[in-house]
Amino acid sequence: MRVPIFFKMRSPTIAAIILAALFGWQAPATAQTRIVAIVNGTPITSTAVAEQKAFVRLTQKKQMTDKEALAVLVDQTLVQQEAKRRTVTVSDSDVDQRFNGLAASNKMTPDQLGQGLAQAGTSARTFKENIRTQLIQRRLVNFRIRASSGIAEKDIAAEITERKQKGEAANDVYTLQQILFVTPANPPPAVVAQRKKEAETLRTRIQSCDQGAEFARSLRDVAVKEKITRQSSQMGDAFRQQVQALKVGQATAPDLSSVGVEIVMICGKQSVQDDTALRQEITNELAGEASKGETEKMMTELRQKALIEYR
């Protein structure tokens, strides 16, 4: 059975990267890069195989053989070649948005996530190529389903309208500011408890970001980070629910991160009219049972037509 291209991108994945960095895990040295397969003229290298294995170890918490990792890369190549043939594209900005959103939902910058991936033996490039392939594959499958099952644009539009009327289609943009109560590496429970108490005290005092930042800067071993903007659709479920329950000027409950105890202040909120994510979600839902088996059917067809040379 082939390893699926799709993968789950959840908080434990990023936590594993952080732990790898904290405990100083280093990827083993790799041999000189060589071409291990050519798929319809497109080469796949041994380095790509090694990075894919490390990526899956982090995102799926499982070990892959070289053969399994190569099979995934072959499928990715076939998907991207099919997308090019059908002029189905995913922009770099779409991929970066997903990557940056995953970093933000785990309270990391994109650079920090990239550094953690590199230290764990993979790379931001490999992560983004998996994201890109996942998005492309979904679009190709949805295209096939819509062509065969007759999902009409009017049905999608009607569902969008209904959800907006029910208030279920909100996609807000938040301006956020993190305040970090720094702790040493592997802090004892007493230190964590004390820092959480200090963070909670600050949280209950503030009524605005400016006030919170001013108070925080007067405290010892407390850092005030630059403000950032994030769409609610980019946040993890738990963090989004917490943010949505707060008013502008309030802050999230203290939470322990890899470098200390954090609270996040809500500095601004603005509703946006962007149906892209909602449209994709509805298309997937309307496809329903029709999507089962369609991905593997498509991949089987692509593999049968492909010219693959293994070395």
Side-chain angles (χ1 to χ4, degrees):
M1 179 180 294
R2 283 184 177 261
V3 178
I5 292 176
F6 292 162
F7 58 91
K8 300 292 185 181
M9 297 179 289
R10 297 174 178 169
S11 296
T13 293
I14 311 303
I17 296 171
I18 294 173
L19 286 173
L22 286 177
F23 286 98
W25 186 90
Q26 295 289 341
T30 56
Q32 185 176 3
T33 297
R34 59 187 180 86
I35 294 175
V36 293
I38 300 178
V39 182
N40 295 328
T42 301
I44 297 175
T45 67
S46 56
T47 297
V49 171
E51 290 192 3
Q52 183 66 25
K53 289 172 63 179
F55 173 77
V56 170
R57 184 178 63 250
L58 291 171
T59 59
Q60 298 181 15
K61 294 186 177 180
K62 60 187 287 187
Q63 298 291 334
M64 297 185 81
T65 65
D66 286 353
K67 183 177 180 180
E68 288 172 332
L70 179 56
V72 172
L73 293 173
V74 167
D75 282 357
Q76 286 186 358
T77 303
L78 291 173
V79 166
Q80 296 196 19
Q81 289 174 344
E82 177 69 3
K84 185 176 182 180
R85 187 177 74 84
R86 292 185 176 275
T87 64
V88 173
T89 60
V90 170
S91 68
D92 290 342
S93 61
D94 284 343
V95 175
D96 288 342
Q97 184 181 49
R98 288 290 188 95
F99 183 84
N100 296 347
L102 286 166
S105 66
N106 288 276
K107 300 178 182 178
M108 302 173 73
T109 67
D111 286 344
Q112 287 173 331
L113 177 53
Q115 291 166 7
L117 288 164
Q119 187 162 1
T122 184
S123 66
R125 180 190 64 252
T126 294
F127 203 149
K128 289 181 180 182
E129 281 307 297
N130 276 269
I131 293 173
R132 185 186 303 279
T133 305
Q134 183 184 45
L135 295 175
I136 288 174
Q137 190 176 43
R138 284 177 177 172
R139 292 183 185 183
L140 287 171
V141 170
N142 285 339
F143 175 82
R144 289 165 63 100
I145 292 172
R146 291 179 66 174
S148 61
S149 64
I151 297 175
E153 176 61 31
K154 64 181 179 64
D155 296 330
I156 298 174
E159 184 66 19
I160 290 175
T161 300
E162 182 178 348
R163 293 196 187 188
K164 285 184 175 180
Q165 290 173 344
K166 292 180 179 179
E168 298 176 356
N171 185 23
D172 300 318
V173 175
Y174 289 90
T175 302
L176 308 173
Q177 189 166 29
Q178 294 171 284
I179 297 179
L180 174 65
F181 290 73
V182 180
T183 61
N186 302 317
V191 171
V192 174
Q194 179 60 33
R195 298 259 74 183
K196 282 189 173 182
K197 182 178 179 181
E198 294 170 6
E200 181 62 27
T201 299
L202 175 62
R203 176 176 178 257
T204 57
R205 292 182 61 187
I206 61 177
Q207 296 180 340
S208 71
C209 275
D210 290 342
Q211 180 193 40
E214 182 180 355
F215 285 165
R217 290 189 179 100
S218 67
L219 301 176
R220 184 177 180 180
D221 294 331
V222 176
V224 179
K225 298 185 179 181
E226 295 295 323
K227 293 179 181 178
I228 59 174
T229 58
R230 289 288 182 270
Q231 290 190 23
S232 56
S233 59
Q234 296 176 309
M235 302 175 183
D237 290 342
F239 184 66
R240 180 174 63 250
Q241 290 172 10
Q242 191 175 178
V243 168
Q244 289 175 336
L246 297 172
K247 298 179 180 178
V248 173
Q250 295 182 321
T252 60
D255 185 35
L256 180 63
S257 71
S258 60
V259 289
V261 173
E262 290 185 340
I263 61 173
V264 180
M265 299 187 294
I266 315 301
C267 303
K269 175 182 176 181
Q270 181 180 5
S271 295
V272 295
Q273 301 298 322
D274 183 358
D275 295 336
T276 302
L278 179 61
R279 178 176 293 275
Q280 189 65 47
E281 178 184 345
I282 290 173
T283 299
N284 291 340
E285 290 179 4
L286 291 179
E289 292 299 317
S291 64
K292 291 184 178 180
E294 191 63 36
T295 298
E296 188 55 39
K297 181 180 177 181
M298 180 184 72
M299 295 310 304
T300 298
E301 293 173 1
L302 293 178
R303 293 172 196 138
Q304 289 174 344
K305 294 185 294 183
L307 178 60
I308 305 174
E309 176 188 351
Y310 294 97
R311 296 187 173 183

